[in-house]
Amino acid sequence: MTRSDVLIVGAGPTGLVLALWLAKLDVKVRIIDKTAEPGTTSRALAVQARTLELYRQLDLADEVIARGHKVPAVNLWVRGEPTARLPFEAIGKDLTPYSFLQIFPQDEHERLLISRLEGLGVSVERQTELLGFTDEGGQVTARLRRPDGSEESCEVRYIAGCDGAHSRVRETIGAGFPGGTYRQIFYVADVEASGRPLDGELHVDLDEADFLAVFPLAGKGRARLIGTVRDERADHAESLRFEDVGERAIANLKVEVGKVNWFSTYHVHHRVADEFCKGRAFLIGDAAHIHSPAGGQGMNTGIGDAINLAWKLAAVISGGAPVSLLDSYEAERIAFARRLVATTDRIFTFATAEGRLADLLRTRIAPLLIPRIASFESAREWLFRTVSQIMLNYRDSPLSEGSAGDVHGGDRLPWVHVDGVDNLDTLTAIRWQVHVYGTASGALTAWCRDHDIPLHRFDWHPKHEAAGLVRDALYLLRPDTYVALADASGAPTRIEDYFADRGLQTAPTSRT
């Protein structure tokens, strides 16, 4: 009988990120996967700005950027001509250090995460399958099948299902997975090609038939084509080749394909589990929610799930928080997943709907409206905030309290860069901390020192006010960098009460 703190089932990006954060927080973790090796196809591509911000906690962001490809803009095409261009860099330059869409194929992403995890002394146990588990109240006993076919029992304090759409963990806890399946068949092709859309930007064709998007990959002339198959060809998806579906890319976007490196077809689902946790078991990533690829949100949402849960598990396991802290995982993440699935469903339905009215909306009305809407700064900013996930907040969470200026408890801390000082740089530490923009009182300074909570003070600047921050207010930040408490008075008693009300300890939770 082996024992660990947390058993992670599934070694995709979600499971690997959860394992990384837990290992960094001194949690004894075990991660298994029934496959023989990491994925060898690119699959998920997009790494959004919010994920890169969170990746700074483990010094991952710079390497993801160096090894991937920055996409500066998205272009919309109709009837073989570009009709609108939305530049990410111009829209997001004052909102995040990462005002672009980062392309980093999932197979390379997984290899990077595995390497970092091994550096912390944790290896993925391959060809190891979860057969089932029993939640015994004080622990979980899991049954595993090893690579040689033998069975093993292991005891853990918690089990995390990162095992995808067909999750054994979800099946075991009996969670429903309501939703549906889109009628259209998707195809994906990684190609070497030439043509105007091969300019390093994202191109989307809104036309009268198959939906089509061209995602740039690192390297000259490399791209990912994603499209739908809606006519009689969809009845023979298993036998389709690129030659059967690729003519629209050539005709509509004038892409000249020289070589196809990978081609696959698949159905797209939209589902959200009706519970994300039960007892000592948790659902994360695709085990909890799946949706269309519109906006490149899936993998990033799973990574967000993992980071949200990791610090809470670490705090409970170390004795720094009551078990009730874990209830906030579902409270915070299930609402976001439901909103996201609804949003991506609407976008996908618009892009792929059939019929004369749908064609009219896409080819005549959208080309006129989109450039006009994009001409408004507020509309461009809303779009960027939504796609990049920097808009995501936990204002309704039991862990969120107060407000100061435009910043509420549960918000992402606004990014401000002044005279070479980046206020997000302090967030690399996975621990509670306090920010003050202006002057911190002697009482607050002493309280933070006595309770071993770092206090970071930034000289007041008009940019802070423009970002919605209040001079001399205190902002208590959670280990996952979201604002826990915002208070304009700056009084340390507010922090004292915040921790006492939730039974939380203030001791640091990460390695120094």
Side-chain angles (χ1 to χ4, degrees):
M1 180 77 73
T2 60
R3 291 176 173 83
S4 299
D5 290 324
V6 180
L7 173 65
I8 299 173
V9 184
T14 297
L16 292 168
V17 166
L18 179 60
L20 266 172
W21 257 254
L22 288 173
K24 181 69 174 178
L25 294 168
D26 291 322
V27 173
K28 187 177 181 182
V29 64
R30 187 174 180 185
I31 179 169
I32 65 172
D33 196 285
K34 62 184 180 181
T35 63
E37 59 183 12
T40 57
T41 54
S42 53
R43 293 166 291 163
L45 291 177
V47 183
Q48 302 291 356
R50 185 56 181 151
T51 299
L52 291 171
E53 290 179 355
L54 293 167
Y55 269 12
R56 295 170 81 167
Q57 289 195 307
L58 291 186
D59 193 27
L60 282 166
D62 289 346
E63 191 161 358
V64 169
I65 293 170
R67 293 169 58 169
H69 173 76
K70 291 182 182 180
V71 179
V74 57
N75 299 269
L76 302 180
W77 289 59
V78 173
R79 297 182 176 179
E81 296 295 334
T83 60
R85 181 178 184 272
L86 301 176
F88 298 127
E89 291 181 323
I91 300 169
K93 62 182 178 63
D94 294 325
L95 302 176
T96 175
Y98 309 106
S99 57
F100 48 84
L101 175 65
Q102 181 68 14
I103 297 296
F104 190 47
Q106 185 174 331
D107 53 342
E108 298 179 45
H109 200 154
E110 288 182 11
R111 288 197 294 270
L112 171 60
L113 296 173
I114 289 168
S115 174
R116 291 297 186 90
L117 187 59
E118 290 175 343
L120 294 176
V122 179
S123 296
V124 177
E125 299 177 44
R126 293 283 172 188
Q127 295 180 288
T128 302
E129 182 178 1
L130 175 71
L131 299 177
F133 66 90
T134 304
D135 187 338
E136 300 172 356
Q139 67 180 26
V140 172
T141 301
R143 293 184 299 110
L144 309 179
R145 179 182 289 126
R146 294 170 169 168
D148 63 3
S150 63
E151 294 188 10
E152 168 196 350
S153 291
C154 71
E155 292 180 353
V156 293
R157 298 182 66 172
Y158 298 96
I159 185 168
C162 304
D163 47 346
H166 303 287
S167 170
R168 177 64 58 84
V169 176
R170 189 184 64 245
E171 175 186 304
T172 302
I173 68 173
F177 205 31
T181 302
Y182 294 108
R183 182 173 56 83
Q184 297 90 345
I185 295 292
F186 255 90
Y187 76 83
V188 56
D190 284 356
V191 302
E192 297 175 23
S194 60
R196 184 170 177 179
L198 278 295
D199 59 358
E201 298 186 353
L202 171 60
H203 295 262
V204 177
D205 177 34
L206 298 175
D207 224 306
E208 296 176 352
D210 301 345
F211 164 80
L212 177 67
V214 181
F215 288 81
L217 301 176
K220 184 177 180 180
R222 297 184 61 236
R224 158 79 61 84
L225 306 183
I226 298 179
T228 54
V229 183
R230 299 188 297 189
D231 53 25
E232 64 277 2
R233 295 168 298 171
D235 297 330
H236 309 284
E238 67 283 350
S239 61
L240 286 176
R241 302 172 302 163
F242 178 74
E243 291 75 14
D244 300 318
V245 299
E247 68 273 7
R248 296 204 63 82
I250 297 171
N252 286 21
L253 295 181
K254 303 177 178 64
V255 174
E256 298 180 15
V257 177
K259 182 180 179 183
V260 178
N261 294 320
W262 176 53
F263 177 79
S264 182
T265 59
Y266 58 98
H267 279 284
V268 174
H269 308 270
H270 49 101
R271 302 180 184 275
V272 180
D274 51 24
E275 54 187 338
F276 280 16
C277 60
K278 187 174 184 179
R280 292 179 173 267
F282 297 87
L283 302 178
I284 307 167
D286 286 355
H289 47 79
I290 52 176
H291 30 81
S292 87
Q297 301 294 300
M299 180 181 68
N300 293 273
T301 304
I303 290 170
D305 292 344
I307 295 172
N308 182 286
L309 180 61
W311 74 270
K312 297 171 183 178
L313 281 171
V316 171
I317 289 169
S318 68
V323 173
S324 59
L325 175 65
L326 298 176
D327 295 338
S328 66
Y329 167 67
E330 178 177 298
E332 292 181 347
R333 297 303 296 180
I334 198 169
F336 171 63
R338 286 170 175 162
R339 289 195 304 271
L340 179 62
V341 167
T343 301
T344 56
D345 179 63
R346 286 192 293 268
I347 295 171
F348 180 76
T349 299
F350 166 76
T352 62
E354 299 178 63
R356 293 183 61 186
L357 178 59
D359 291 341
L360 178 66
L361 286 172
R362 276 197 302 270
T363 63
R364 298 299 178 93
I365 297 177
L368 293 174
L369 286 182
I370 291 175
R372 292 182 182 180
I373 294 172
S375 67
F376 293 98
E377 182 179 356
S378 58
R380 294 196 305 270
E381 185 175 307
W382 179 87
L383 178 63
F384 180 84
R385 286 180 179 273
T386 300
V387 173
S388 67
Q389 297 197 357
I390 64 174
M391 183 184 284
L392 190 160
N393 69 76
Y394 304 132
R395 288 188 179 185
D396 296 328
S397 168
L399 299 182
S400 302
E401 184 176 325
S403 64
D406 296 333
V407 179
H408 295 244
D411 286 354
R412 162 191 172 267
L413 183 72
W415 175 62
V416 184
H417 190 269
V418 179
D419 299 329
V421 177
D422 183 336
N423 71 325
L424 299 190
D425 281 346
T426 70
L427 304 185
T428 55
I430 311 175
R431 60 181 300 172
W432 295 92
Q433 58 183 275
V434 173
H435 275 207
V436 172
Y437 298 85
T439 302
S441 69
L444 178 60
T445 302
W447 190 93
C448 289
R449 181 185 64 245
D450 294 344
H451 292 81
D452 197 22
I453 290 186
L455 170 62
H456 300 284
R457 191 192 66 79
F458 300 85
D459 292 336
W460 182 252
H461 190 278
K463 284 187 176 181
H464 295 132
E465 183 176 15
L469 298 162
V470 169
R471 189 169 190 165
D472 302 339
L474 73 81
Y475 298 93
L476 173 66
L477 301 174
R478 307 175 354 172
D480 62 353
T481 77
Y482 284 89
V483 177
L485 168 68
D487 181 69
S489 74
T493 53
R494 291 298 311 278
I495 310 178
E496 187 89 49
D497 292 343
Y498 177 92
F499 280 101
D501 291 346
R502 294 162 178 82
L504 301 171
Q505 296 182 13
T506 60
T509 55
S510 65
R511 294 175 182 171
T512 56

